[in-house]
PDB file of all heavy atoms in Angstrom:
ATOM      1  N   ALA A   7     -18.569  -7.797  21.061  1.00 95.00           N
ATOM      2  CA  ALA A   7     -19.388  -6.863  20.287  1.00 95.00           C
ATOM      3  C   ALA A   7     -20.584  -6.412  21.122  1.00 95.00           C
ATOM      4  O   ALA A   7     -21.153  -7.120  21.906  1.00 95.00           O
ATOM      5  CB  ALA A   7     -19.904  -7.523  19.024  1.00 95.00           C
ATOM      6  N   SER A   8     -20.953  -5.148  20.913  1.00 95.00           N
ATOM      7  CA  SER A   8     -22.122  -4.604  21.622  1.00 95.00           C
ATOM      8  C   SER A   8     -22.780  -3.581  20.724  1.00 95.00           C
ATOM      9  O   SER A   8     -22.176  -3.053  19.808  1.00 95.00           O
ATOM     10  CB  SER A   8     -21.754  -3.963  22.939  1.00 95.00           C
ATOM     11  OG  SER A   8     -20.864  -2.883  22.777  1.00 95.00           O
ATOM     12  N   GLY A   9     -24.054  -3.331  20.967  1.00 92.00           N
ATOM     13  CA  GLY A   9     -24.808  -2.343  20.198  1.00 92.00           C
ATOM     14  C   GLY A   9     -25.421  -2.863  18.914  1.00 92.00           C
ATOM     15  O   GLY A   9     -26.054  -2.088  18.193  1.00 92.00           O
ATOM     16  N   PHE A  10     -25.321  -4.137  18.706  1.00 87.00           N
ATOM     17  CA  PHE A  10     -25.924  -4.769  17.504  1.00 87.00           C
ATOM     18  C   PHE A  10     -26.000  -6.266  17.715  1.00 87.00           C
ATOM     19  O   PHE A  10     -25.376  -6.819  18.581  1.00 87.00           O
ATOM     20  CB  PHE A  10     -25.138  -4.439  16.227  1.00 87.00           C
ATOM     21  CG  PHE A  10     -23.745  -5.019  16.229  1.00 87.00           C
ATOM     22  CD1 PHE A  10     -23.485  -6.187  15.512  1.00 87.00           C
ATOM     23  CD2 PHE A  10     -22.685  -4.431  16.882  1.00 87.00           C
ATOM     24  CE1 PHE A  10     -22.214  -6.750  15.450  1.00 87.00           C
ATOM     25  CE2 PHE A  10     -21.407  -4.936  16.852  1.00 87.00           C
ATOM     26  CZ  PHE A  10     -21.189  -6.101  16.133  1.00 87.00           C
ATOM     27  N   THR A  11     -26.816  -6.878  16.902  1.00 85.00           N
ATOM     28  CA  THR A  11     -26.925  -8.337  16.931  1.00 85.00           C
ATOM     29  C   THR A  11     -25.919  -8.925  15.958  1.00 85.00           C
ATOM     30  O   THR A  11     -25.926  -8.625  14.767  1.00 85.00           O
ATOM     31  CB  THR A  11     -28.340  -8.788  16.563  1.00 85.00           C
ATOM     32  OG1 THR A  11     -28.742  -8.218  15.334  1.00 85.00           O
ATOM     33  CG2 THR A  11     -29.325  -8.360  17.656  1.00 85.00           C
ATOM     34  N   LEU A  12     -25.065  -9.758  16.472  1.00 85.00           N
ATOM     35  CA  LEU A  12     -23.929 -10.245  15.716  1.00 85.00           C
ATOM     36  C   LEU A  12     -24.346 -11.043  14.475  1.00 85.00           C
ATOM     37  O   LEU A  12     -23.611 -11.044  13.470  1.00 85.00           O
ATOM     38  CB  LEU A  12     -23.070 -11.155  16.637  1.00 85.00           C
ATOM     39  CG  LEU A  12     -21.645 -11.439  16.196  1.00 85.00           C
ATOM     40  CD1 LEU A  12     -20.875 -10.145  16.025  1.00 85.00           C
ATOM     41  CD2 LEU A  12     -20.987 -12.354  17.225  1.00 85.00           C
ATOM     42  N   ASP A  13     -25.447 -11.684  14.497  1.00 84.00           N
ATOM     43  CA  ASP A  13     -25.875 -12.492  13.368  1.00 84.00           C
ATOM     44  C   ASP A  13     -26.280 -11.676  12.133  1.00 84.00           C
ATOM     45  O   ASP A  13     -26.497 -12.243  11.098  1.00 84.00           O
ATOM     46  CB  ASP A  13     -26.971 -13.482  13.775  1.00 84.00           C
ATOM     47  CG  ASP A  13     -28.228 -12.797  14.286  1.00 84.00           C
ATOM     48  OD1 ASP A  13     -28.130 -11.630  14.705  1.00 84.00           O
ATOM     49  OD2 ASP A  13     -29.297 -13.445  14.303  1.00 84.00           O
ATOM     50  N   LEU A  14     -26.404 -10.367  12.285  1.00 86.00           N
ATOM     51  CA  LEU A  14     -26.748  -9.491  11.194  1.00 86.00           C
ATOM     52  C   LEU A  14     -25.583  -8.798  10.584  1.00 86.00           C
ATOM     53  O   LEU A  14     -25.743  -8.007   9.652  1.00 86.00           O
ATOM     54  CB  LEU A  14     -27.797  -8.458  11.633  1.00 86.00           C
ATOM     55  CG  LEU A  14     -29.135  -9.026  12.145  1.00 86.00           C
ATOM     56  CD1 LEU A  14     -30.068  -7.892  12.569  1.00 86.00           C
ATOM     57  CD2 LEU A  14     -29.852  -9.880  11.087  1.00 86.00           C
ATOM     58  N   PHE A  15     -24.371  -9.066  11.042  1.00 91.00           N
ATOM     59  CA  PHE A  15     -23.171  -8.398  10.586  1.00 91.00           C
ATOM     60  C   PHE A  15     -22.159  -9.446  10.135  1.00 91.00           C
ATOM     61  O   PHE A  15     -22.050 -10.532  10.671  1.00 91.00           O
ATOM     62  CB  PHE A  15     -22.534  -7.556  11.667  1.00 91.00           C
ATOM     63  CG  PHE A  15     -23.259  -6.265  11.982  1.00 91.00           C
ATOM     64  CD1 PHE A  15     -24.482  -6.269  12.618  1.00 91.00           C
ATOM     65  CD2 PHE A  15     -22.643  -5.053  11.679  1.00 91.00           C
ATOM     66  CE1 PHE A  15     -25.122  -5.120  12.912  1.00 91.00           C
ATOM     67  CE2 PHE A  15     -23.297  -3.873  11.941  1.00 91.00           C
ATOM     68  CZ  PHE A  15     -24.534  -3.886  12.580  1.00 91.00           C
ATOM     69  N   ALA A  16     -21.369  -9.064   9.109  1.00 94.00           N
ATOM     70  CA  ALA A  16     -20.176  -9.792   8.800  1.00 94.00           C
ATOM     71  C   ALA A  16     -19.038  -9.278   9.691  1.00 94.00           C
ATOM     72  O   ALA A  16     -18.917  -8.077   9.860  1.00 94.00           O
ATOM     73  CB  ALA A  16     -19.823  -9.642   7.299  1.00 94.00           C
ATOM     74  N   ILE A  17     -18.259 -10.163  10.183  1.00 96.00           N
ATOM     75  CA  ILE A  17     -17.160  -9.800  11.084  1.00 96.00           C
ATOM     76  C   ILE A  17     -15.838 -10.284  10.461  1.00 96.00           C
ATOM     77  O   ILE A  17     -15.716 -11.409  10.033  1.00 96.00           O
ATOM     78  CB  ILE A  17     -17.312 -10.425  12.489  1.00 96.00           C
ATOM     79  CG1 ILE A  17     -18.662 -10.068  13.085  1.00 96.00           C
ATOM     80  CG2 ILE A  17     -16.174  -9.939  13.389  1.00 96.00           C
ATOM     81  CD1 ILE A  17     -18.864  -8.572  13.330  1.00 96.00           C
ATOM     82  N   GLY A  18     -14.890  -9.343  10.437  1.00 97.00           N
ATOM     83  CA  GLY A  18     -13.591  -9.660   9.917  1.00 97.00           C
ATOM     84  C   GLY A  18     -12.493  -9.422  10.960  1.00 97.00           C
ATOM     85  O   GLY A  18     -12.649  -8.580  11.818  1.00 97.00           O
ATOM     86  N   TRP A  19     -11.403 -10.139  10.830  1.00 98.00           N
ATOM     87  CA  TRP A  19     -10.171  -9.893  11.555  1.00 98.00           C
ATOM     88  C   TRP A  19      -9.197  -9.315  10.550  1.00 98.00           C
ATOM     89  O   TRP A  19      -8.873  -9.942   9.564  1.00 98.00           O
ATOM     90  CB  TRP A  19      -9.628 -11.137  12.220  1.00 98.00           C
ATOM     91  CG  TRP A  19     -10.352 -11.551  13.463  1.00 98.00           C
ATOM     92  CD1 TRP A  19     -11.313 -12.500  13.580  1.00 98.00           C
ATOM     93  CD2 TRP A  19     -10.169 -11.006  14.759  1.00 98.00           C
ATOM     94  NE1 TRP A  19     -11.746 -12.585  14.876  1.00 98.00           N
ATOM     95  CE2 TRP A  19     -11.055 -11.676  15.647  1.00 98.00           C
ATOM     96  CE3 TRP A  19      -9.340  -9.991  15.311  1.00 98.00           C
ATOM     97  CZ2 TRP A  19     -11.166 -11.382  17.017  1.00 98.00           C
ATOM     98  CZ3 TRP A  19      -9.454  -9.721  16.669  1.00 98.00           C
ATOM     99  CH2 TRP A  19     -10.315 -10.397  17.482  1.00 98.00           C
ATOM    100  N   VAL A  20      -8.706  -8.093  10.865  1.00 98.00           N
ATOM    101  CA  VAL A  20      -7.861  -7.355   9.947  1.00 98.00           C
ATOM    102  C   VAL A  20      -6.508  -7.148  10.597  1.00 98.00           C
ATOM    103  O   VAL A  20      -6.419  -6.804  11.777  1.00 98.00           O
ATOM    104  CB  VAL A  20      -8.469  -6.004   9.594  1.00 98.00           C
ATOM    105  CG1 VAL A  20      -7.548  -5.227   8.641  1.00 98.00           C
ATOM    106  CG2 VAL A  20      -9.845  -6.151   8.968  1.00 98.00           C
ATOM    107  N   ARG A  21      -5.454  -7.474   9.865  1.00 98.00           N
ATOM    108  CA  ARG A  21      -4.121  -7.390  10.430  1.00 98.00           C
ATOM    109  C   ARG A  21      -3.317  -6.282   9.763  1.00 98.00           C
ATOM    110  O   ARG A  21      -3.294  -6.144   8.538  1.00 98.00           O
ATOM    111  CB  ARG A  21      -3.390  -8.722  10.202  1.00 98.00           C
ATOM    112  CG  ARG A  21      -1.936  -8.747  10.676  1.00 98.00           C
ATOM    113  CD  ARG A  21      -1.386 -10.178  10.639  1.00 98.00           C
ATOM    114  NE  ARG A  21      -1.217 -10.640   9.296  1.00 98.00           N
ATOM    115  CZ  ARG A  21      -1.015 -11.940   8.978  1.00 98.00           C
ATOM    116  NH1 ARG A  21      -0.996 -12.838   9.949  1.00 98.00           N
ATOM    117  NH2 ARG A  21      -0.843 -12.290   7.732  1.00 98.00           N
ATOM    118  N   GLN A  22      -2.669  -5.484  10.602  1.00 98.00           N
ATOM    119  CA  GLN A  22      -1.712  -4.479  10.148  1.00 98.00           C
ATOM    120  C   GLN A  22      -0.339  -4.927  10.581  1.00 98.00           C
ATOM    121  O   GLN A  22       0.030  -4.796  11.759  1.00 98.00           O
ATOM    122  CB  GLN A  22      -2.022  -3.096  10.741  1.00 98.00           C
ATOM    123  CG  GLN A  22      -1.049  -2.022  10.325  1.00 98.00           C
ATOM    124  CD  GLN A  22      -1.063  -1.749   8.863  1.00 98.00           C
ATOM    125  OE1 GLN A  22      -2.012  -1.188   8.289  1.00 98.00           O
ATOM    126  NE2 GLN A  22       0.008  -2.211   8.163  1.00 98.00           N
ATOM    127  N   ALA A  23       0.418  -5.454   9.632  1.00 96.00           N
ATOM    128  CA  ALA A  23       1.781  -5.915   9.947  1.00 96.00           C
ATOM    129  C   ALA A  23       2.766  -4.838   9.627  1.00 96.00           C
ATOM    130  O   ALA A  23       2.552  -3.994   8.732  1.00 96.00           O
ATOM    131  CB  ALA A  23       2.068  -7.158   9.108  1.00 96.00           C
ATOM    132  N   PRO A  24       3.914  -4.808  10.314  1.00 91.00           N
ATOM    133  CA  PRO A  24       4.888  -3.767  10.052  1.00 91.00           C
ATOM    134  C   PRO A  24       5.382  -3.798   8.626  1.00 91.00           C
ATOM    135  O   PRO A  24       5.775  -4.805   8.092  1.00 91.00           O
ATOM    136  CB  PRO A  24       6.044  -4.174  11.000  1.00 91.00           C
ATOM    137  CG  PRO A  24       5.394  -4.987  12.074  1.00 91.00           C
ATOM    138  CD  PRO A  24       4.285  -5.723  11.391  1.00 91.00           C
ATOM    139  N   GLY A  25       5.283  -2.596   8.004  1.00 93.00           N
ATOM    140  CA  GLY A  25       5.759  -2.486   6.617  1.00 93.00           C
ATOM    141  C   GLY A  25       4.928  -3.151   5.572  1.00 93.00           C
ATOM    142  O   GLY A  25       5.345  -3.236   4.394  1.00 93.00           O
ATOM    143  N   LYS A  26       3.726  -3.620   5.947  1.00 95.00           N
ATOM    144  CA  LYS A  26       2.893  -4.318   4.996  1.00 95.00           C
ATOM    145  C   LYS A  26       1.519  -3.632   4.894  1.00 95.00           C
ATOM    146  O   LYS A  26       1.097  -2.891   5.805  1.00 95.00           O
ATOM    147  CB  LYS A  26       2.730  -5.769   5.401  1.00 95.00           C
ATOM    148  CG  LYS A  26       3.999  -6.562   5.438  1.00 95.00           C
ATOM    149  CD  LYS A  26       3.721  -8.008   5.837  1.00 95.00           C
ATOM    150  CE  LYS A  26       4.998  -8.803   5.911  1.00 95.00           C
ATOM    151  NZ  LYS A  26       4.747 -10.213   6.339  1.00 95.00           N
ATOM    152  N   GLU A  27       0.806  -3.914   3.870  1.00 95.00           N
ATOM    153  CA  GLU A  27      -0.552  -3.404   3.650  1.00 95.00           C
ATOM    154  C   GLU A  27      -1.488  -4.079   4.639  1.00 95.00           C
ATOM    155  O   GLU A  27      -1.412  -5.272   4.906  1.00 95.00           O
ATOM    156  CB  GLU A  27      -0.982  -3.629   2.241  1.00 95.00           C
ATOM    157  CG  GLU A  27      -2.341  -3.013   1.887  1.00 95.00           C
ATOM    158  CD  GLU A  27      -2.730  -3.242   0.458  1.00 95.00           C
ATOM    159  OE1 GLU A  27      -1.925  -3.815  -0.308  1.00 95.00           O
ATOM    160  OE2 GLU A  27      -3.860  -2.812   0.093  1.00 95.00           O
ATOM    161  N   ARG A  28      -2.429  -3.301   5.138  1.00 97.00           N
ATOM    162  CA  ARG A  28      -3.447  -3.844   5.977  1.00 97.00           C
ATOM    163  C   ARG A  28      -4.273  -4.881   5.215  1.00 97.00           C
ATOM    164  O   ARG A  28      -4.614  -4.674   4.054  1.00 97.00           O
ATOM    165  CB  ARG A  28      -4.349  -2.729   6.525  1.00 97.00           C
ATOM    166  CG  ARG A  28      -5.327  -3.165   7.576  1.00 97.00           C
ATOM    167  CD  ARG A  28      -5.993  -1.974   8.239  1.00 97.00           C
ATOM    168  NE  ARG A  28      -5.046  -1.159   8.973  1.00 97.00           N
ATOM    169  CZ  ARG A  28      -5.398  -0.192   9.823  1.00 97.00           C
ATOM    170  NH1 ARG A  28      -6.694   0.082  10.021  1.00 97.00           N
ATOM    171  NH2 ARG A  28      -4.458   0.494  10.475  1.00 97.00           N
ATOM    172  N   GLU A  29      -4.599  -6.014   5.869  1.00 96.00           N
ATOM    173  CA  GLU A  29      -5.221  -7.118   5.182  1.00 96.00           C
ATOM    174  C   GLU A  29      -6.232  -7.782   6.036  1.00 96.00           C
ATOM    175  O   GLU A  29      -6.033  -8.002   7.224  1.00 96.00           O
ATOM    176  CB  GLU A  29      -4.121  -8.118   4.767  1.00 96.00           C
ATOM    177  CG  GLU A  29      -4.657  -9.357   4.050  1.00 96.00           C
ATOM    178  CD  GLU A  29      -3.573 -10.367   3.772  1.00 96.00           C
ATOM    179  OE1 GLU A  29      -2.596 -10.394   4.545  1.00 96.00           O
ATOM    180  OE2 GLU A  29      -3.712 -11.151   2.822  1.00 96.00           O
ATOM    181  N   VAL A  30      -7.376  -8.183   5.436  1.00 97.00           N
ATOM    182  CA  VAL A  30      -8.334  -9.002   6.120  1.00 97.00           C
ATOM    183  C   VAL A  30      -7.816 -10.436   6.110  1.00 97.00           C
ATOM    184  O   VAL A  30      -7.657 -11.046   5.061  1.00 97.00           O
ATOM    185  CB  VAL A  30      -9.711  -8.943   5.418  1.00 97.00           C
ATOM    186  CG1 VAL A  30     -10.721  -9.858   6.138  1.00 97.00           C
ATOM    187  CG2 VAL A  30     -10.250  -7.512   5.328  1.00 97.00           C
ATOM    188  N   VAL A  31      -7.553 -10.975   7.245  1.00 97.00           N
ATOM    189  CA  VAL A  31      -6.975 -12.330   7.375  1.00 97.00           C
ATOM    190  C   VAL A  31      -8.095 -13.376   7.473  1.00 97.00           C
ATOM    191  O   VAL A  31      -7.889 -14.532   7.125  1.00 97.00           O
ATOM    192  CB  VAL A  31      -5.961 -12.441   8.484  1.00 97.00           C
ATOM    193  CG1 VAL A  31      -4.810 -11.537   8.271  1.00 97.00           C
ATOM    194  CG2 VAL A  31      -6.604 -12.174   9.824  1.00 97.00           C
ATOM    195  N   SER A  32      -9.245 -12.979   7.989  1.00 97.00           N
ATOM    196  CA  SER A  32     -10.318 -13.906   8.105  1.00 97.00           C
ATOM    197  C   SER A  32     -11.652 -13.158   8.333  1.00 97.00           C
ATOM    198  O   SER A  32     -11.640 -12.039   8.817  1.00 97.00           O
ATOM    199  CB  SER A  32     -10.104 -14.884   9.315  1.00 97.00           C
ATOM    200  OG  SER A  32     -11.105 -15.878   9.358  1.00 97.00           O
ATOM    201  N   CYS A  33     -12.736 -13.800   7.958  1.00 96.00           N
ATOM    202  CA  CYS A  33     -14.027 -13.176   8.168  1.00 96.00           C
ATOM    203  C   CYS A  33     -15.088 -14.255   8.328  1.00 96.00           C
ATOM    204  O   CYS A  33     -14.892 -15.378   7.860  1.00 96.00           O
ATOM    205  CB  CYS A  33     -14.424 -12.201   7.052  1.00 96.00           C
ATOM    206  SG  CYS A  33     -14.620 -12.935   5.427  1.00 96.00           S
ATOM    207  N   ILE A  34     -16.207 -13.890   8.956  1.00 95.00           N
ATOM    208  CA  ILE A  34     -17.304 -14.803   9.126  1.00 95.00           C
ATOM    209  C   ILE A  34     -18.607 -14.053   8.866  1.00 95.00           C
ATOM    210  O   ILE A  34     -18.763 -12.914   9.290  1.00 95.00           O
ATOM    211  CB  ILE A  34     -17.241 -15.397  10.536  1.00 95.00           C
ATOM    212  CG1 ILE A  34     -18.319 -16.472  10.712  1.00 95.00           C
ATOM    213  CG2 ILE A  34     -17.390 -14.344  11.623  1.00 95.00           C
ATOM    214  CD1 ILE A  34     -18.106 -17.355  11.958  1.00 95.00           C
ATOM    215  N   SER A  35     -19.494 -14.683   8.151  1.00 92.00           N
ATOM    216  CA  SER A  35     -20.751 -14.051   7.773  1.00 92.00           C
ATOM    217  C   SER A  35     -21.757 -14.090   8.919  1.00 92.00           C
ATOM    218  O   SER A  35     -21.697 -14.976   9.809  1.00 92.00           O
ATOM    219  CB  SER A  35     -21.331 -14.711   6.539  1.00 92.00           C
ATOM    220  OG  SER A  35     -21.763 -16.022   6.788  1.00 92.00           O
ATOM    221  N   GLY A  36     -22.661 -13.149   8.876  1.00 89.00           N
ATOM    222  CA  GLY A  36     -23.650 -13.065   9.958  1.00 89.00           C
ATOM    223  C   GLY A  36     -24.807 -14.045   9.824  1.00 89.00           C
ATOM    224  O   GLY A  36     -25.352 -14.513  10.805  1.00 89.00           O
ATOM    225  N   ASP A  37     -25.175 -14.363   8.575  1.00 84.00           N
ATOM    226  CA  ASP A  37     -26.379 -15.186   8.362  1.00 84.00           C
ATOM    227  C   ASP A  37     -26.089 -16.674   8.465  1.00 84.00           C
ATOM    228  O   ASP A  37     -26.662 -17.353   9.309  1.00 84.00           O
ATOM    229  CB  ASP A  37     -26.987 -14.854   7.025  1.00 84.00           C
ATOM    230  CG  ASP A  37     -26.007 -14.846   5.860  1.00 84.00           C
ATOM    231  OD1 ASP A  37     -24.833 -15.122   6.068  1.00 84.00           O
ATOM    232  OD2 ASP A  37     -26.434 -14.522   4.732  1.00 84.00           O
ATOM    233  N   ASP A  38     -25.153 -17.171   7.661  1.00 85.00           N
ATOM    234  CA  ASP A  38     -24.922 -18.599   7.654  1.00 85.00           C
ATOM    235  C   ASP A  38     -23.634 -19.024   8.352  1.00 85.00           C
ATOM    236  O   ASP A  38     -23.319 -20.225   8.447  1.00 85.00           O
ATOM    237  CB  ASP A  38     -24.949 -19.173   6.246  1.00 85.00           C
ATOM    238  CG  ASP A  38     -23.879 -18.572   5.351  1.00 85.00           C
ATOM    239  OD1 ASP A  38     -23.088 -17.733   5.825  1.00 85.00           O
ATOM    240  OD2 ASP A  38     -23.860 -18.935   4.148  1.00 85.00           O
ATOM    241  N   GLY A  39     -22.860 -18.053   8.837  1.00 89.00           N
ATOM    242  CA  GLY A  39     -21.615 -18.356   9.523  1.00 89.00           C
ATOM    243  C   GLY A  39     -20.502 -18.870   8.664  1.00 89.00           C
ATOM    244  O   GLY A  39     -19.524 -19.409   9.167  1.00 89.00           O
ATOM    245  N   SER A  40     -20.587 -18.672   7.367  1.00 92.00           N
ATOM    246  CA  SER A  40     -19.537 -19.142   6.481  1.00 92.00           C
ATOM    247  C   SER A  40     -18.246 -18.324   6.756  1.00 92.00           C
ATOM    248  O   SER A  40     -18.309 -17.139   7.117  1.00 92.00           O
ATOM    249  CB  SER A  40     -19.941 -19.004   4.999  1.00 92.00           C
ATOM    250  OG  SER A  40     -20.233 -17.660   4.698  1.00 92.00           O
ATOM    251  N   THR A  41     -17.143 -18.939   6.515  1.00 95.00           N
ATOM    252  CA  THR A  41     -15.842 -18.340   6.849  1.00 95.00           C
ATOM    253  C   THR A  41     -14.942 -18.259   5.639  1.00 95.00           C
ATOM    254  O   THR A  41     -15.062 -19.028   4.678  1.00 95.00           O
ATOM    255  CB  THR A  41     -15.146 -19.147   7.960  1.00 95.00           C
ATOM    256  OG1 THR A  41     -14.939 -20.521   7.481  1.00 95.00           O
ATOM    257  CG2 THR A  41     -15.978 -19.188   9.212  1.00 95.00           C
ATOM    258  N   ASN A  42     -14.013 -17.310   5.704  1.00 95.00           N
ATOM    259  CA  ASN A  42     -12.995 -17.123   4.695  1.00 95.00           C
ATOM    260  C   ASN A  42     -11.654 -16.804   5.338  1.00 95.00           C
ATOM    261  O   ASN A  42     -11.632 -16.204   6.426  1.00 95.00           O
ATOM    262  CB  ASN A  42     -13.388 -16.027   3.711  1.00 95.00           C
ATOM    263  CG  ASN A  42     -14.517 -16.385   2.795  1.00 95.00           C
ATOM    264  OD1 ASN A  42     -14.319 -16.985   1.776  1.00 95.00           O
ATOM    265  ND2 ASN A  42     -15.752 -16.073   3.206  1.00 95.00           N
ATOM    266  N   TYR A  43     -10.592 -17.167   4.664  1.00 96.00           N
ATOM    267  CA  TYR A  43      -9.264 -16.960   5.197  1.00 96.00           C
ATOM    268  C   TYR A  43      -8.320 -16.488   4.087  1.00 96.00           C
ATOM    269  O   TYR A  43      -8.413 -16.921   2.928  1.00 96.00           O
ATOM    270  CB  TYR A  43      -8.698 -18.250   5.796  1.00 96.00           C
ATOM    271  CG  TYR A  43      -9.519 -18.784   6.926  1.00 96.00           C
ATOM    272  CD1 TYR A  43     -10.517 -19.726   6.694  1.00 96.00           C
ATOM    273  CD2 TYR A  43      -9.306 -18.355   8.254  1.00 96.00           C
ATOM    274  CE1 TYR A  43     -11.295 -20.227   7.730  1.00 96.00           C
ATOM    275  CE2 TYR A  43     -10.075 -18.860   9.268  1.00 96.00           C
ATOM    276  CZ  TYR A  43     -11.050 -19.794   8.992  1.00 96.00           C
ATOM    277  OH  TYR A  43     -11.815 -20.276  10.053  1.00 96.00           O
ATOM    278  N   ALA A  44      -7.423 -15.585   4.447  1.00 96.00           N
ATOM    279  CA  ALA A  44      -6.348 -15.243   3.562  1.00 96.00           C
ATOM    280  C   ALA A  44      -5.437 -16.443   3.345  1.00 96.00           C
ATOM    281  O   ALA A  44      -5.270 -17.246   4.249  1.00 96.00           O
ATOM    282  CB  ALA A  44      -5.574 -14.038   4.073  1.00 96.00           C
ATOM    283  N   ASP A  45      -4.830 -16.521   2.184  1.00 96.00           N
ATOM    284  CA  ASP A  45      -3.972 -17.660   1.899  1.00 96.00           C
ATOM    285  C   ASP A  45      -2.866 -17.836   2.949  1.00 96.00           C
ATOM    286  O   ASP A  45      -2.475 -18.958   3.266  1.00 96.00           O
ATOM    287  CB  ASP A  45      -3.359 -17.524   0.515  1.00 96.00           C
ATOM    288  CG  ASP A  45      -4.380 -17.746  -0.593  1.00 96.00           C
ATOM    289  OD1 ASP A  45      -5.438 -18.313  -0.311  1.00 96.00           O
ATOM    290  OD2 ASP A  45      -4.088 -17.372  -1.740  1.00 96.00           O
ATOM    291  N   ALA A  46      -2.359 -16.719   3.467  1.00 96.00           N
ATOM    292  CA  ALA A  46      -1.245 -16.786   4.397  1.00 96.00           C
ATOM    293  C   ALA A  46      -1.581 -17.469   5.694  1.00 96.00           C
ATOM    294  O   ALA A  46      -0.645 -17.897   6.425  1.00 96.00           O
ATOM    295  CB  ALA A  46      -0.734 -15.394   4.633  1.00 96.00           C
ATOM    296  N   VAL A  47      -2.867 -17.556   6.027  1.00 97.00           N
ATOM    297  CA  VAL A  47      -3.259 -18.097   7.327  1.00 97.00           C
ATOM    298  C   VAL A  47      -4.101 -19.362   7.201  1.00 97.00           C
ATOM    299  O   VAL A  47      -4.429 -19.955   8.215  1.00 97.00           O
ATOM    300  CB  VAL A  47      -3.992 -17.065   8.211  1.00 97.00           C
ATOM    301  CG1 VAL A  47      -3.166 -15.794   8.323  1.00 97.00           C
ATOM    302  CG2 VAL A  47      -5.353 -16.758   7.608  1.00 97.00           C
ATOM    303  N   LYS A  48      -4.400 -19.766   6.022  1.00 98.00           N
ATOM    304  CA  LYS A  48      -5.220 -20.986   5.838  1.00 98.00           C
ATOM    305  C   LYS A  48      -4.553 -22.188   6.516  1.00 98.00           C
ATOM    306  O   LYS A  48      -3.367 -22.412   6.397  1.00 98.00           O
ATOM    307  CB  LYS A  48      -5.402 -21.272   4.340  1.00 98.00           C
ATOM    308  CG  LYS A  48      -6.415 -20.409   3.645  1.00 98.00           C
ATOM    309  CD  LYS A  48      -6.598 -20.844   2.185  1.00 98.00           C
ATOM    310  CE  LYS A  48      -7.638 -19.980   1.475  1.00 98.00           C
ATOM    311  NZ  LYS A  48      -8.981 -20.101   2.046  1.00 98.00           N
ATOM    312  N   GLY A  49      -5.374 -22.938   7.211  1.00 98.00           N
ATOM    313  CA  GLY A  49      -4.924 -24.109   7.894  1.00 98.00           C
ATOM    314  C   GLY A  49      -4.330 -23.850   9.265  1.00 98.00           C
ATOM    315  O   GLY A  49      -4.042 -24.814   9.984  1.00 98.00           O
ATOM    316  N   ARG A  50      -4.090 -22.589   9.594  1.00 98.00           N
ATOM    317  CA  ARG A  50      -3.502 -22.245  10.864  1.00 98.00           C
ATOM    318  C   ARG A  50      -4.426 -21.440  11.768  1.00 98.00           C
ATOM    319  O   ARG A  50      -4.375 -21.542  12.959  1.00 98.00           O
ATOM    320  CB  ARG A  50      -2.200 -21.467  10.661  1.00 98.00           C
ATOM    321  CG  ARG A  50      -1.163 -22.254   9.865  1.00 98.00           C
ATOM    322  CD  ARG A  50       0.176 -21.502   9.836  1.00 98.00           C
ATOM    323  NE  ARG A  50       0.069 -20.204   9.159  1.00 98.00           N
ATOM    324  CZ  ARG A  50       0.240 -19.034   9.722  1.00 98.00           C
ATOM    325  NH1 ARG A  50       0.574 -18.959  11.020  1.00 98.00           N
ATOM    326  NH2 ARG A  50       0.130 -17.927   9.029  1.00 98.00           N
ATOM    327  N   PHE A  51      -5.251 -20.603  11.152  1.00 98.00           N
ATOM    328  CA  PHE A  51      -6.188 -19.761  11.903  1.00 98.00           C
ATOM    329  C   PHE A  51      -7.604 -20.285  11.762  1.00 98.00           C
ATOM    330  O   PHE A  51      -7.979 -20.791  10.694  1.00 98.00           O
ATOM    331  CB  PHE A  51      -6.146 -18.316  11.378  1.00 98.00           C
ATOM    332  CG  PHE A  51      -4.873 -17.575  11.705  1.00 98.00           C
ATOM    333  CD1 PHE A  51      -3.765 -18.184  12.217  1.00 98.00           C
ATOM    334  CD2 PHE A  51      -4.841 -16.163  11.515  1.00 98.00           C
ATOM    335  CE1 PHE A  51      -2.590 -17.471  12.489  1.00 98.00           C
ATOM    336  CE2 PHE A  51      -3.718 -15.470  11.803  1.00 98.00           C
ATOM    337  CZ  PHE A  51      -2.590 -16.106  12.252  1.00 98.00           C
ATOM    338  N   THR A  52      -8.408 -20.103  12.792  1.00 98.00           N
ATOM    339  CA  THR A  52      -9.807 -20.489  12.759  1.00 98.00           C
ATOM    340  C   THR A  52     -10.658 -19.375  13.377  1.00 98.00           C
ATOM    341  O   THR A  52     -10.439 -18.991  14.492  1.00 98.00           O
ATOM    342  CB  THR A  52     -10.052 -21.772  13.514  1.00 98.00           C
ATOM    343  OG1 THR A  52      -9.230 -22.830  13.002  1.00 98.00           O
ATOM    344  CG2 THR A  52     -11.513 -22.208  13.365  1.00 98.00           C
TER     345      THR A  52
END
């Protein structure tokens, strides 16, 4: 990342799979670093 301070933004990883709807698979908050995961990737992605 460039052009901003990362701790002030929420960052997500978004997946576009063939034939499927685009989906946020994981995200991390800028302030406290809390994380979230889509059910499909829980326990496998960090």
Side-chain angles (χ1 to χ4, degrees):
S8 62
F10 66 100
T11 53
L12 197 58
D13 60 340
L14 298 179
F15 286 70
I17 306 296
W19 284 99
V20 180
R21 178 170 68 194
Q22 178 64 72
K26 299 180 181 179
E27 184 179 358
R28 189 169 293 192
E29 178 185 26
V30 180
V31 298
S32 185
C33 63
I34 186 166
S35 67
D37 49 4
D38 62 1
S40 61
T41 59
N42 288 274
Y43 300 91
D45 289 342
V47 306
K48 282 184 181 296
R50 300 187 298 116
F51 289 12
T52 304

